């Protein structure tokens, strides 16, 4: 589904990612873990095209997307939920969902897809006429995820979806990811520091430290103690 091969990314002349290689197989959940500031978000932005890979290759469904712009990556089927949610605070919940279709070549809203989003996050239906900026942080996170899901991406990039979220909504988000995983029709690359959350839903894990992949393997084979060492401050 997605392959990064020896990808390096810079901010100006400062190298943030060094020869990062990782894979997200079709229908699987892969977690990228590490401390703050080690390159996790940079990896997602590089995949999405918000940052340009200076070296290496990014492939999506067998096609080289290393040099194509972000909007074409979105049209190809990559959905990105950034850290901090990135909702439109002055639009209603429903209007935010409608904006999700703007990434598609045909931007006509799909009522069935919106209803599917409401089924996943019922609170959004009850608040569909509310201005999104008045929602709680957890509700905004649900909206940010739903806004991407309405266009049925093939690959979902999630950046710290549990950050600052109350436990009840973390559980709801975990249930949604599990339901997506069970259908095996969408791949997910998850950036996360909440170890229990990641271990509960991921098939495979990469650990990044100072822009370098330092550990990887199936969740069943990884030692929690080793991961915790890389996550501790």
């Amino acid at each position: 589904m997605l392959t990064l091969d020896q990808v390096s990314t810079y901010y100006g002349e400062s190298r943030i990612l060094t020869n990062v290689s990782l894979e997200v197989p079709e229908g699987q959940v892969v977690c990228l873990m590490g401390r703050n500031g080690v390159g996790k978000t940079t990896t997602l932005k590089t995949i999405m095209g918000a940052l340009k890979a200076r070296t290496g290759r990014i492939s999506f469904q067998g096609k080289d997307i290393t040099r194509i712009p972000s909007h074409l990556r979105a049209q190809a089927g990559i959905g990105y939920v950034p850290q901090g949610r990135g909702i439109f605070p002055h639009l209603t919940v429903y209007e935010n969902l409608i904006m999700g279709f703007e990434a598609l070549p045909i931007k006509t809203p799909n009522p069935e897809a919106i209803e599917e989003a409401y089924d996943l996050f019922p609170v959004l239906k009850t608040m569909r006429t509310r201005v999104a900026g008045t929602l709680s942080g957890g509700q905004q996170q649900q909206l940010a995820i739903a806004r991407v899901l309405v266009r049925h991406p093939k690959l979902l990039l999630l950046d710290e979806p549990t950050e600052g979220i109350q436990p009840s909504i973390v559980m709801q988000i975990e249930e949604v990811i599990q339901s997506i995983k069970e259908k095996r029709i969408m791949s997910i690359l998850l950036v996360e520091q909440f170890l229990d959350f990641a271990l509960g839903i991921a098939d495979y894990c990469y650990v990044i430290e100072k822009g370098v992949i330092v550990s990887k393997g199936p969740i069943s084979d990884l030692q929690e103690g080793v991961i915790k060492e890389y996550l501790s401050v």
Side-chain angles (χ1 to χ4, degrees), residues 110-153:
N110 181 343
E112 291 183 2
I114 292 176
E115 284 301 321
E116 290 172 6
Y118 288 153
D119 288 341
L120 291 173
F121 299 112
V123 69
L124 298 181
K125 187 168 188 176
T126 64
M127 296 185 172
R128 60 188 179 276
T129 60
R130 288 266 299 272
V131 174
T134 65
L135 272 57
S136 71
Q139 292 162 349
Q140 290 183 19
Q141 184 65 280
Q142 290 175 310
L143 177 58
I145 296 171
R147 186 181 59 193
V148 172
L149 291 181
V150 294
R151 57 185 174 86
H152 298 151

Side-chain angles (χ1 to χ4, degrees), residues 33-35 192-193 195 226-233:
M33 306 193 77
R35 297 183 186 92
E192 186 55 67
Q193 290 193 76
L195 184 58
V226 173
I227 298 177
K228 286 178 178 178
E229 284 184 18
Y230 286 113
L231 294 180
S232 60
V233 178

Side-chain angles (χ1 to χ4, degrees), residues 40-156:
K40 304 187 301 298
T41 294
T42 298
T43 301
L44 295 190
K45 287 183 175 181
T46 303
I47 294 168
M48 200 64 229
L51 295 172
K52 305 302 180 185
R54 187 169 299 186
T55 62
R57 187 174 189 267
I58 304 172
S59 301
F60 179 62
Q61 294 192 308
K63 297 180 180 179
D64 187 347
I65 64 168
T66 313
R67 303 289 173 240
I68 72 170
S70 297
H71 74 279
L72 293 181
R73 301 186 197 203
Q75 289 181 9
I78 302 178
Y80 178 36
V81 182
Q83 188 178 23
R85 293 129 205 174
I87 63 162
F88 298 97
H90 301 299
L91 299 181
T92 67
V93 167
Y94 176 75
E95 289 167 340
N96 267 270
L97 293 177
I98 293 297
M99 292 298 294
F101 296 100
E102 289 295 312
L104 297 176
I106 299 175
K107 307 181 190 305
T108 305
N110 181 343
E112 291 183 2
I114 292 176
E115 284 301 321
E116 290 172 6
Y118 288 153
D119 288 341
L120 291 173
F121 299 112
V123 69
L124 298 181
K125 187 168 188 176
T126 64
M127 296 185 172
R128 60 188 179 276
T129 60
R130 288 266 299 272
V131 174
T134 65
L135 272 57
S136 71
Q139 292 162 349
Q140 290 183 19
Q141 184 65 280
Q142 290 175 310
L143 177 58
I145 296 171
R147 186 181 59 193
V148 172
L149 291 181
V150 294
R151 57 185 174 86
H152 298 151
K154 298 166 186 172
L155 171 66
L156 178 63

Side-chain angles (χ1 to χ4, degrees), residues 148-181:
V148 172
L149 291 181
V150 294
R151 57 185 174 86
H152 298 151
K154 298 166 186 172
L155 171 66
L156 178 63
L157 309 177
L158 285 174
D159 195 352
E160 301 275 11
T162 68
E163 184 181 35
I165 304 301
Q166 57 265 46
S168 61
I169 294 185
V170 169
M171 290 179 61
Q172 292 175 29
I173 292 173
E174 181 176 357
E175 289 171 2
V176 167
I177 296 175
Q178 289 285 13
S179 70
I180 292 171
K181 178 179 175 179

Side-chain angles (χ1 to χ4, degrees), residues 1 4 13 18 21 30 33 67 74 76 100 113 125 128 134 152 157 159 161 181-182 188 191 201 205:
M1 173 63 73
L4 272 65
E13 293 305 312
T18 304
S21 295
V30 174
M33 306 193 77
R67 303 289 173 240
K125 187 168 188 176
R128 60 188 179 276
T134 65
H152 298 151
L157 309 177
D159 195 352
K181 178 179 175 179
E182 288 169 5
I188 297 175
V191 161
I201 59 177
C205 182

